Amino acid sequence: MDPGMNHLLKWGLENSSTTVPLPDAPPPRPLDPALLQAIFGGPSDADLMKQSMAAILSSDITLENKLTAFDNFEQLIESIDNANNLEPLGLWTPLVDLLKHEEGQLRRMAAWCVGTAVQNNEKAQERALVMGAIPALVNMAIEEADENIRRKALYALSSEMRNYQPATDEAVKVLPARLKTEGNLDAADMEAVDKVIAKLRERR
């Protein structure tokens, strides 16, 4: 018998209403949602990520629903495996493009998602660098009037730079002269990276 079906049968027997529970018996165990999905089917995380991005990009979806889809997308890519699936699913390009969207709330969510994807994830940091996210994030950090959008851009930029030297070098290269630091900036030097982010925060 398939192991999943065997587990389901065992769960059914353990939790049957016809079974008289012992006084000291443990409470019924919930079924693993991943197991249910594997047995009965249903959208995978990859499917949900693609569906969320399709909703975000659709001209037929309201802004409110786009933001809901973006929130779902952000929660999905909190998983490193899902964040690393952005590349094979072809989702990095639209995500980075959304950093330049005319709607500020979509720019904010895009920056948030970039920050979530690259946090402590060198593979995603490399992808964000290659896809050109850093110049867009620096521009947002300097030019955005909305502080909520700026905060998400700074979060994403900080997460992208930390412990990943190529991204730090690129960020320093595109910074305005007044915000550059003297000498080379070490991506592993958290205090030095924080100083750059603080300068960007103050825009001076």
Side-chain angles (χ1 to χ4, degrees):
M1 179 183 292
D2 178 82
M5 291 301 296
N6 186 55
H7 183 86
L8 183 62
L9 177 60
K10 182 180 179 183
W11 181 90
L13 290 172
E14 289 176 351
N15 296 279
S16 171
S17 61
T18 60
T19 303
V20 178
L22 297 174
D24 58 348
R29 293 178 298 167
L31 267 175
D32 182 358
L35 176 63
L36 288 174
Q37 179 177 300
I39 295 171
F40 297 111
S44 64
D45 281 0
D47 292 330
L48 293 172
M49 289 164 65
K50 290 188 291 185
Q51 290 169 12
S52 295
M53 184 58 71
I56 294 163
L57 300 176
S58 174
S59 60
D60 298 324
I61 303 293
T62 65
L63 176 59
E64 181 181 2
N65 287 334
K66 286 175 185 282
L67 294 176
T68 298
F70 236 145
D71 188 58
N72 293 337
F73 188 82
E74 192 276 334
Q75 291 181 54
L76 284 164
I77 61 173
E78 287 176 356
S79 157
I80 287 182
D81 288 340
N82 287 342
N84 288 339
N85 266 340
L86 288 169
E87 179 186 7
L89 294 175
L91 296 177
W92 268 115
T93 295
L95 180 58
V96 172
D97 286 347
L98 283 159
L99 294 171
K100 303 172 185 177
H101 197 279
E102 61 183 12
E103 170 53 54
Q105 293 309 305
L106 294 182
R107 296 196 301 274
R108 176 180 63 84
M109 290 301 299
W112 189 4
C113 286
V114 170
T116 297
V118 302
Q119 195 167 41
N120 301 315
N121 184 346
E122 186 172 325
K123 183 176 179 180
Q125 287 173 301
E126 186 270 338
R127 283 293 88 200
L129 171 64
V130 170
M131 298 307 298
I134 292 174
L137 291 169
V138 170
N139 184 69
M140 290 172 70
I142 295 171
E143 302 296 336
E144 289 284 356
D146 187 321
E147 284 300 313
N148 290 322
I149 301 175
R150 291 189 67 235
R151 277 197 291 268
K152 293 304 182 187
L154 289 165
Y155 157 68
L157 193 60
S158 175
S159 297
E160 172 68 3
M161 292 171 64
R162 289 174 184 274
N163 293 310
Y164 187 56
Q165 195 63 47
T168 299
D169 293 342
E170 175 67 12
V172 170
K173 185 170 73 174
V174 300
L175 282 173
R178 71 181 188 279
L179 298 177
K180 292 183 185 291
T181 57
E182 294 183 5
N184 295 326
L185 180 61
D186 183 357
D189 186 339
M190 297 297 101
E191 184 177 351
V193 172
D194 286 344
K195 285 181 180 179
V196 171
I197 297 300
K199 283 187 173 183
L200 272 168
R201 184 176 294 111
E202 297 167 2
R203 292 194 267 209
R204 61 179 176 81

